[in-house]
Amino acid sequence: MPCTCGNWRRWIRPLVATIYVVGLLVALPLCVWELQKLEVGIQTKAWFIAGIFLLMTIPISLWGILQHLVHYTQPELQKPIIRILWMVPIYSLDSWIALKYPKIAIYVDTCRECYEAYVIYNFMVFLSNYLTNQYPNLVLIIEAKDQQKHLPPLCCCPPWAMGEALLFRCKLGVLQYTVVRPFTTIIALICELVGVYDEGNFSFKNAWTYLVIFNNISQLFAMYCLVLFYKVLREELNPIKPVGKFLCVKMVVFVSFWQAVLIALLVKVGVISEHNTWEWNSVEEVATGLQDFIICVEMFFAAIAHHYSFSYKPYVQEAEEGSCFDSFLAMWDISDIRADVSEQVRNVGRTVFGQPRKMFFGEDHEQNEHTSLLSSSTQDPISASSSIPSSPVGHYQGFGHTVTPTMPTEPTSDGFYNSLEERQNSDIPTEKIVD
């Protein structure tokens, strides 16, 4: 029997708080014992301080995730938000482990680097799902707008046609980073195993320099597409206050990347040198350890910013139903990204072989939380309104609003019907029954 809002919402929060307190009481003595057992040096002190920030960061992030699961009333929006909120604890825990064990840093950092691409993708999904449900005829709205020119440094390029072409290219620009980043990370692992990676050393004789340049170009283009997408649809996106959310995502991804580049430059010019590596074995491990320590500290402030920018409060409903286990399992479902990547590969194949590209924004197909990002932006208004995904308490009606499916179909005082479905039903002629 599923646990409904009548019981599990009362005990889940105290349970999480208890687990955190017990974990804190166990972890802190272990850290102190580790310090007393070893001869404490700079690396150990940095690891201990980073652990304190880790213990302050994780509960803030987990509390926000838990609140979204408790009030999981709009899966189309909250599912990508939960994925974004996981970025902070993943970054923090990954950096703390790499700080303690520098030899395996290249391997644990793989998770962090892949997840940052996943976060950018999910932010685009969040914006797209909101617009899809609020504006079923989004393509027509964009076509009616003035032509948007490219932003610097691409201002000399021909502008993308307003409408379906702009939407598709912006989303494809974000999705390419989702594919590129894991691919280059796998290449980095292979290069590390064969001894040609040489992380942190700017030299055209190693693989790290080329991968940094390639990843940077891909990442910048993905962010550029997000900015262009927002600039075109700023008025429509204003109700969800996307600027703060975008800055949270952008700052974490960009700061961590350029931080690593800056530290590598300090190594190159000799500010960080072999003369003082403390307990690390090489200057490269010093650079990696410094990056991991700074990330652990930064993630504490990032957790606070994410807590307020991706708040659960707009999704709280008076009458909430649903199973806590269903909410938890939905968090791990990745069928949407699998569909998006497959669709992207097929579209590139059509382009290469000269086949006509599939029309992603004019088809009548069902929209739900599993729908592909490339195929979910715009539909015919009538078909879109009839395929709006359902939330635990009723049909999705936009940001922060749900209505039960048993609402009366009466016109308002102004003579207008409450929904398109009611208007369609009212147009159906009724037959008189003849005795």
Side-chain angles (χ1 to χ4, degrees):
M1 181 177 179
C3 50
T4 60
C5 59
N7 50 32
W8 72 275
R9 284 186 172 87
R10 288 198 298 265
W11 56 258
I12 191 68
R13 297 187 187 104
L15 175 63
V16 171
T18 302
I19 293 175
Y20 168 68
V21 172
V22 172
L24 195 64
L25 293 176
V26 172
L28 280 178
L30 287 176
C31 291
V32 174
W33 179 71
E34 182 78 10
L35 288 175
Q36 291 179 346
K37 185 179 68 172
L38 302 173
E39 293 183 1
V40 177
I42 297 296
Q43 181 185 3
T44 307
K45 289 180 180 178
W47 174 74
F48 182 75
I49 296 172
I52 294 175
F53 277 96
L54 174 70
L55 292 175
M56 293 189 297
T57 298
I58 289 183
I60 298 175
S61 297
L62 292 184
W63 184 256
I65 294 170
L66 175 65
Q67 293 286 35
H68 276 284
L69 291 176
V70 170
H71 305 286
Y72 197 64
T73 58
Q74 296 186 31
E76 307 83 13
L77 298 182
Q78 290 177 277
K79 186 176 180 180
I81 286 178
I82 291 173
R83 292 170 174 175
I84 293 171
L85 291 176
W86 272 111
M87 174 173 61
V88 170
I90 288 176
Y91 266 53
S92 186
L93 183 61
D94 168 271
S95 300
W96 186 69
I97 294 174
L99 185 61
K100 177 63 176 176
Y101 306 103
K103 294 294 185 182
I104 64 171
I106 181 65
Y107 306 106
V108 295
D109 287 348
T110 300
C111 300
R112 184 179 71 198
E113 293 171 353
C114 291
Y115 202 81
E116 75 176 30
Y118 190 52
V119 165
I120 295 176
Y121 158 81
N122 276 285
F123 185 68
M124 190 64 173
V125 170
F126 170 72
L127 299 180
S128 178
N129 286 353
Y130 171 76
L131 291 170
T132 299
N133 288 283
Q134 290 292 95
Y135 305 97
N137 55 344
L138 185 60
V139 167
L140 300 179
I141 294 175
I142 298 177
E143 289 177 348
K145 293 177 178 286
D146 295 334
Q147 179 64 52
Q148 174 63 53
K149 296 182 179 180
H150 278 292
L151 306 174
L154 302 181
C155 49
C156 297
C157 299
W160 293 340
M162 301 294 285
E164 180 184 0
L166 186 140
L167 278 176
F168 182 80
R169 289 173 181 175
C170 284
K171 294 175 181 180
L172 202 60
V174 174
L175 277 174
Q176 57 83 24
Y177 186 61
T178 308
V179 177
V180 167
R181 189 62 176 180
F183 180 71
T184 56
T185 301
I186 294 173
I187 293 178
L189 289 175
I190 296 174
C191 293
E192 175 70 17
L193 293 175
V194 298
V196 296
Y197 187 58
D198 198 12
E199 182 179 6
N201 182 19
F202 275 105
S203 173
F204 289 101
K205 296 181 180 179
N206 60 29
W208 180 80
T209 304
Y210 295 99
L211 291 177
V212 164
I213 295 173
F214 191 69
N215 284 331
N216 188 34
I217 293 173
S218 177
Q219 185 187 87
L220 285 174
F221 185 68
M223 286 296 186
Y224 172 85
C225 291
L226 273 177
V227 172
L228 186 65
F229 184 83
Y230 167 72
K231 190 171 179 61
V232 172
L233 295 164
R234 177 168 48 189
E235 183 179 348
E236 288 76 13
L237 290 171
N238 275 340
I240 57 174
K241 302 176 181 179
V243 176
K245 297 177 175 63
F246 177 75
L247 289 177
C248 283
V249 173
K250 183 176 180 180
M251 292 302 292
V252 171
V253 173
F254 263 73
V255 168
S256 62
F257 178 81
W258 287 106
Q259 214 165 241
V261 174
L262 178 60
I263 293 173
L265 286 174
L266 294 177
V267 174
K268 186 68 175 178
V269 299
V271 175
I272 302 176
S273 64
E274 297 282 357
H275 298 296
N276 195 354
T277 58
W278 297 286
E279 297 97 71
W280 284 281
N281 297 323
S282 65
V283 68
E284 288 77 15
E285 288 188 4
V286 174
T288 303
L290 180 60
Q291 163 78 344
D292 292 327
F293 174 77
I294 295 175
I295 287 178
C296 287
V297 176
E298 290 172 339
M299 287 304 104
F300 171 68
F301 301 100
I304 298 174
H306 278 69
H307 178 77
Y308 288 102
S309 296
F310 295 96
S311 175
Y312 69 94
K313 292 181 181 179
Y315 307 97
V316 177
Q317 305 294 334
E318 293 182 359
E320 298 176 357
E321 299 177 0
S323 167
C324 58
F325 299 107
D326 291 341
S327 301
F328 180 79
L329 292 177
M331 178 177 63
W332 305 105
D333 180 31
I334 59 171
S335 57
D336 51 349
I337 187 173
R338 186 170 59 247
D340 284 336
V341 173
S342 300
E343 193 59 61
Q344 183 184 19
V345 172
R346 285 195 295 269
N347 183 64
V348 172
R350 294 187 188 100
T351 303
V352 171
F353 293 104
Q355 299 176 0
R357 182 169 62 84
K358 181 181 177 181
M359 298 297 291
F360 292 100
F361 304 110
E363 298 180 348
D364 181 15
H365 49 75
E366 192 171 345
Q367 161 74 17
N368 54 45
E369 63 173 313
H370 306 286
T371 304
S372 166
L373 172 63
L374 292 175
S375 59
S376 66
S377 283
T378 49
Q379 304 176 22
D380 179 75
I382 296 178
S383 63
S385 63
S386 62
S387 62
I388 290 175
S390 59
S391 295
V393 275
H395 294 293
Y396 180 84
Q397 298 293 329
F399 183 70
H401 301 283
T402 54
V403 293
T404 57
T406 58
M407 291 183 65
T409 58
E410 297 180 359
T412 62
S413 59
D414 296 331
F416 295 100
Y417 289 89
N418 292 326
S419 68
L420 181 62
E421 182 181 355
E422 296 166 11
R423 187 171 70 249
Q424 291 173 336
N425 293 338
S426 67
D427 293 336
I428 300 175
T430 56
E431 298 181 1
K432 294 185 179 180
I433 301 176
V434 180
D435 294 332

